Amino acid sequence: MANYDLYAMFLKQVDRAEPYLGANAELLPLFREPKEVTEYTLPLRLADGSLRLFKAWRSHHNNALGPYKGGVRFYRDASREEIAALSAWMTVKCATAGLPFGGSKGGVRVHPQDLDGEELERLSRAYALATASTTGPDLEIPAPDINTNPQTMAWFQDTYEKVRGDSVPAAYTGKPLEVGGSQGRNASGAHGGAFVLRELLRELGMDPRDVRVAIQGYGSLGITAHQAFAAQGMKVVAVSDSHGGVYAPGGLDPKSLGEHKLLTGLLRHFPGAEDLTGEEIFALDVDVVVPAALECALTEHNADSVKAKVVLELANAPTTPEADRILEDKGVLVAPDVLANSGGVTVSCFEWIQGRTGDFWSETEVLRRLDERLSGALRETWTLSEQFRIPLRTAAFVRGVGKVLRAMRLKGIWP
C-alpha cells in the first residue's frame, strides 16, 4: 500500500457531504476529530527468553449514537494515524447501517507470522488487559479485523472476564459460538456486500445472472464473497491475491478454486484459467470489481483503467479521493465501504444483542435480519443520492454523519 494519509482521506469525504448537512454542520469541527486516541506499549517475553515491546493503539472517535464499536487488527504497518482514520469511518459505517453504536478501532503493530501460538496468545491477552478499563457492553465492544479472528476474541473475552471477575458475554463480538458468538458472523461481511450489490443491481436494472465479477483480495472475505455472489447467480470470472490471480471468462467455481489454493498455496495455475498479475484485475472487462483487501487499492494511478460499471468496496478505504473523482467522471458507480462492508459490524450488533438477552438466533434468522437492514440502508442512501445528485459515498456520509450530528445536537455540548 502506498503511503496515503488515511485521516486526510476521511476528512475529504466529510467535506464533500458538508453542503448537504444543514444547520447541524456547525458541529462538524467536533466530528472531524477523534474523542481520544490512546497509545500502549505492550511487553512480551518470547519463547527464546528475549523481551520485545509492541506499540498498540485504540481510537475512540465518536459515541453520540451509543457505545464505541470497532475491530482490532494485528498488522505490521499499523499506526496511530491509520487506527484513528478507521475509527472515524466506523462511526459513519455504524450510523449508515442504523446501528446504536459509535466508532472505534484498535491495532497492534506486529507481524503475527513472526510469533508462535503461545506468544500470540500472550500478546492478545496483553492488549485485552491494557484496554480492559474502557471495554464493556456499554462502553466499547471490540471485534476481529485484519489478522485477528474468533480465537483472538476468545482470549480477549477470557482476559476481560478474569479482570472483571464475572461473565460478560456481550463485551466482545466475533467470538466462537461456544463462548457466545453468533451464527452467521464469519461470513457476514461477504453476505452483507452481496445483499447491497443485489439491491444496487436492481436499482440499475441489471439481472444478477448476467453480471460478471472480479474480486481483488482472496483471503477469507474474498473467498466467502465469491460464494455469496455465486449463490445469487452472479459469475465470478477473476480473483487475485498478493501473489497474483486467475481469469476465466466462463466463471470460476468457488469450491474448486478454494481447494486449489489450499493445496498449492496460490491462485495461479488453476486449471482452465489464465494467470493475472494483481494489478491487471482492475482493468478487466467486467461488470463489477470488488476490492476486498487493504486500503488504497484504487488510486489515481489505476482508476482510469477500470472498465466495470460498479465498484463494490468490501475492503476498508480501498479507493482514494483522487480515484473517486476519476471513477465518477467515467460514470463508474462506487458502492462505498461504509455501506457495502457493514455486514460484519451489523451482525456484531446482532451478537451483542444476543449476548445481552441470552436469546440466540439461527443463521437463517441472522441473515434475514442482515438482508432487511442493509437492503433498507442501500435504498435510503440511493434516494439521497438521487435527490441531491451526489455520488453514493457522499450520500452515505450525508446519511451517517447527519445522524451523528443530530444526536450531538440533541445531547448538547457539555461541560
Side-chain angles (χ1 to χ4, degrees), residues 241 243 257 260-269:
D241 61 15
H243 301 291
L257 185 59
H260 171 79
K261 183 173 181 181
L262 184 65
L263 182 66
T264 67
L266 298 171
L267 291 169
R268 295 197 306 258
H269 313 314

Side-chain angles (χ1 to χ4, degrees), residues 52-67:
R52 277 189 66 186
L53 303 179
F54 294 88
K55 284 296 181 185
W57 298 269
R58 194 71 186 171
S59 176
H60 292 162
H61 176 257
N62 186 289
N63 63 346
L65 292 177

Side-chain angles (χ1 to χ4, degrees), residues 372-387:
E372 179 181 32
R373 186 174 292 268
L374 294 194
S375 296
L378 183 279
R379 288 191 295 270
E380 291 181 28
T381 304
W382 180 271
T383 298
L384 280 173
S385 174
E386 294 282 285
Q387 177 185 347

Side-chain angles (χ1 to χ4, degrees), residues 234-274:
M234 302 176 209
K235 186 182 293 183
V236 176
V237 299
V239 300
S240 70
D241 61 15
S242 58
H243 301 291
V246 289
Y247 171 62
L252 295 162
D253 175 63
K255 185 174 185 295
S256 301
L257 185 59
E259 290 172 350
H260 171 79
K261 183 173 181 181
L262 184 65
L263 182 66
T264 67
L266 298 171
L267 291 169
R268 295 197 306 258
H269 313 314
F270 180 61
E274 63 180 89

Side-chain angles (χ1 to χ4, degrees), residues 110-124:
V110 59
H111 189 45
Q113 288 75 11
D114 292 342
L115 304 179
D116 65 28
E118 290 186 1
E119 291 167 339
L120 194 58
E121 177 181 349
R122 292 199 301 274
L123 182 62
S124 300

Side-chain angles (χ1 to χ4, degrees), residues 3 9 15 27 45 47 51 55 61 85 116 161 167 173 181 189 224 233 236 243 275 280 290 300 358 401-402:
N3 187 26
M9 285 173 52
D15 288 343
L27 298 173
R45 183 72 69 182
L51 178 68
K55 284 296 181 185
H61 176 257
D116 65 28
E161 290 183 338
S167 177
T173 59
T224 51
V236 176
H243 301 291
D275 291 346
E280 285 178 310
V290 182
E300 65 272 24
V401 177

Side-chain angles (χ1 to χ4, degrees), residues 314-393:
L314 289 190
N316 288 315
T319 309
T320 67
E322 294 77 17
D324 251 342
R325 295 284 190 178
I326 294 170
L327 294 171
E328 187 179 340
D329 290 343
K330 286 168 60 71
V332 178
L333 189 65
V334 178
D337 52 353
V338 293
L339 178 57
N341 79 357
S342 60
V345 70
T346 301
V347 175
S348 275
C349 179
F350 297 165
E351 182 178 336
W352 175 73
I353 293 169
Q354 292 170 80
R356 301 198 78 158
T357 62
D359 178 18
F360 288 85
W361 312 333
S362 67
E363 182 171 2
T364 300
E365 177 66 10
V366 167
L367 293 180
R368 182 193 69 78
R369 291 176 183 245
L370 176 64
D371 190 353
E372 179 181 32
R373 186 174 292 268
L374 294 194
S375 296
L378 183 279
R379 288 191 295 270
E380 291 181 28
T381 304
W382 180 271
T383 298
L384 280 173
S385 174
E386 294 282 285
Q387 177 185 347
F388 293 118
R389 297 184 179 182
I390 54 178
L392 273 178
R393 187 187 314 281

